[in-house]
Amino acid sequence: MSVIIVTGAGGLIGAEAVRRFTQAGHTVVGVDNDMRAYFFGDSASTKWSLAELQAEVSGYRHHSLDVRDASAIGRLFAEYSSDIAGVIHAAAQPSHDWAAREPYVDFAINAIGTLNLLEATRHKSPDAVFMFLSTNKVYGDAPNSLPLCETDRRFECMPRHPYAEFGIDESMSIDQTKHSLFGVSKAAADLMVQEYGRYFGMKTVCFRGGCLTGPGHSAAELHGFLSYLMGCTVAGRSYTVFGYKGKQVRDNIHCYDLVGALYEFYSAPRVGAVYNIGGGATSNCSVLEAIAACEKRAGRCLDWNYSDQARSGDHMWWISDTRRFQADYPGWQPRYSLDDIFDELYREARERRALPG
């Protein structure tokens, strides 16, 4: 039996990973205790997603565990032991703003929870491939020091800069920058995952994601940018743009394509690998451009307002340079374009509100 442990199994990436790895013939064991409802309220609960997994995915095994509970995680790994072939660690506290409200909880989940999983893997399943969903926020606000130019609807990197054509690569420093407390907790976890690879020789990888998206998001104002924006547009709810005139640029990668990258790595793992992953140069937009795309599909104007106060540690311009990963794994090619993503999010938003096509 080949077992894959997936933490955050009810979330966007976790649920997609459950489906993909089950389809590939693995037994998938999910870990999720619906902390997202605690972070963002009942409307962001993952219960609906977990119910779908349990109904649809044959052989799926679910455990309502907290990654902060080292003893419980240890017992889970002891149960499956050498059968564990891979660990996909997607559980997290994912919000800048929320982290500042409860720093102990944020750090315990993101940093200590990751350490608990690494230790359980090292002692019970040392040959397993450990795949960590990190974040571009480990770079803090260092991208804001790039030479940027302002256009009518977005910021752009100046044409002669090395990052202008393909985006930001893994050589950007994570030092001397404002991270947000969330960025710090994720950076601590990111470094620990790397260290368990280099120090103990484990097969580990950190995927430093841009904006991750798809129809399986339990989106909230503080997390799930495109899904939440589309939901507000379709439902007629108000939306707030925080800072940078709405011209801040994000790259967006569909959960299907990100999990495809996980599977490529799982199939040919390395030790202590780090990759920036996202929509890259072909799948990115500013907040203003995203609003326009949502309005076009919904056939209505979004009721939005503007706050001059940008979120702490937020990026003015982020595009992931994915060339290192593509060089190591040339079989990986993203399937979803930015238009595909918007179209799918619109269909999903209509279905959730039971609107006619």
Side-chain angles (χ1 to χ4, degrees):
M1 180 173 61
S2 176
V3 172
I4 305 295
I5 304 288
V6 178
T7 71
L12 175 72
I13 303 304
E16 184 69 27
V18 169
R19 291 182 169 92
R20 179 73 64 88
F21 280 77
T22 298
Q23 290 169 1
H26 299 284
T27 297
V28 179
V29 175
V31 173
D32 196 308
N33 63 341
D34 199 21
M35 280 294 288
R36 195 172 178 87
Y38 177 74
F39 303 145
F40 308 128
D42 289 342
S43 63
S45 171
T46 58
K47 287 181 179 178
W48 67 272
S49 177
L50 290 171
E52 287 188 355
L53 288 179
Q54 291 171 319
E56 298 170 8
V57 180
S58 177
Y60 172 65
R61 306 178 184 185
H62 187 74
H63 294 259
S64 182
L65 301 179
D66 192 319
V67 295
R68 294 172 291 178
D69 188 340
S71 296
I73 293 298
R75 289 192 296 272
L76 176 69
F77 275 71
E79 179 180 348
Y80 294 99
S81 191
S82 60
D83 287 335
I84 299 174
V87 179
I88 299 171
H89 181 26
Q93 191 297 109
S95 167
H96 287 264
D97 302 292
W98 198 94
R101 299 176 187 174
E102 298 192 37
Y104 280 105
V105 174
D106 172 77
F107 195 85
I109 292 172
N110 290 347
I112 303 303
T114 301
L115 179 58
N116 290 339
L117 288 158
L118 285 165
E119 274 291 273
T121 303
R122 180 168 76 96
H123 289 292
K124 301 299 182 182
S125 316
D127 294 327
V129 182
F130 193 98
M131 295 160 277
F132 175 56
L133 273 297
S134 186
T135 171
N136 59 12
K137 302 307 186 291
V138 301
Y139 298 109
D141 63 0
N144 293 351
S145 66
L146 295 173
L148 303 177
C149 57
E150 183 179 346
T151 69
D152 287 344
R153 300 176 73 84
R154 62 189 283 149
F155 290 109
E156 290 282 15
C157 191
M158 294 295 285
R160 290 185 176 85
H161 194 275
Y163 292 157
E165 184 176 1
F166 296 106
I168 297 169
D169 65 26
E170 297 83 357
S171 67
M172 175 170 275
S173 174
I174 69 171
D175 297 323
Q176 304 300 318
T177 178
K178 183 178 183 180
H179 289 84
S180 80
L181 297 183
F182 160 74
V184 169
S185 65
K186 291 292 284 190
D190 183 302
L191 292 172
M192 193 64 76
V193 171
Q194 293 183 57
E195 196 64 17
Y196 269 64
R198 295 189 173 95
Y199 196 90
F200 296 115
M202 291 169 58
K203 298 182 282 281
T204 70
V205 62
C206 297
F207 282 103
R208 294 173 173 172
C211 284
L212 318 180
T213 193
H217 232 153
S218 297
E221 182 180 23
L222 298 184
H223 188 250
F225 163 49
L226 284 190
S227 292
Y228 184 75
L229 177 60
M230 183 64 80
C232 287
T233 308
V234 170
R237 299 193 304 267
S238 63
Y239 183 85
T240 300
V241 175
F242 292 96
Y244 304 134
K245 306 177 188 178
K247 298 182 181 183
Q248 57 267 55
V249 170
R250 305 283 181 267
D251 73 347
N252 298 274
I253 184 170
H254 194 281
C255 58
Y256 177 91
D257 292 323
L258 179 53
V259 173
L262 295 176
Y263 196 82
E264 289 288 328
F265 184 87
Y266 170 76
S267 301
R270 297 164 183 259
V271 170
V274 177
Y275 298 108
N276 287 353
I277 199 77
T282 62
S283 180
N284 62 80
C285 59
S286 71
V287 174
L288 292 180
E289 290 168 341
I291 289 173
C294 291
E295 290 178 332
K296 177 182 177 181
R297 285 159 177 81
R300 65 188 303 173
C301 291
L302 173 67
D303 173 22
W304 66 278
N305 56 81
Y306 179 72
S307 170
D308 286 327
Q309 185 61 52
R311 286 177 165 142
S312 180
D314 204 8
H315 296 155
M316 296 173 67
W317 185 85
W318 178 273
I319 292 176
S320 307
D321 184 347
T322 61
R323 288 179 299 167
R324 175 182 289 184
F325 183 75
Q326 288 177 302
D328 288 347
Y329 298 93
W332 180 77
Q333 292 295 329
R335 174 183 294 185
Y336 283 80
S337 69
L338 189 60
D339 280 337
D340 292 336
I341 290 170
F342 277 115
D343 288 343
E344 188 175 50
L345 291 178
Y346 174 62
R347 290 193 298 269
E348 178 72 9
R350 291 186 67 87
E351 289 173 7
R352 288 191 182 186
R353 291 188 56 80
L355 296 177

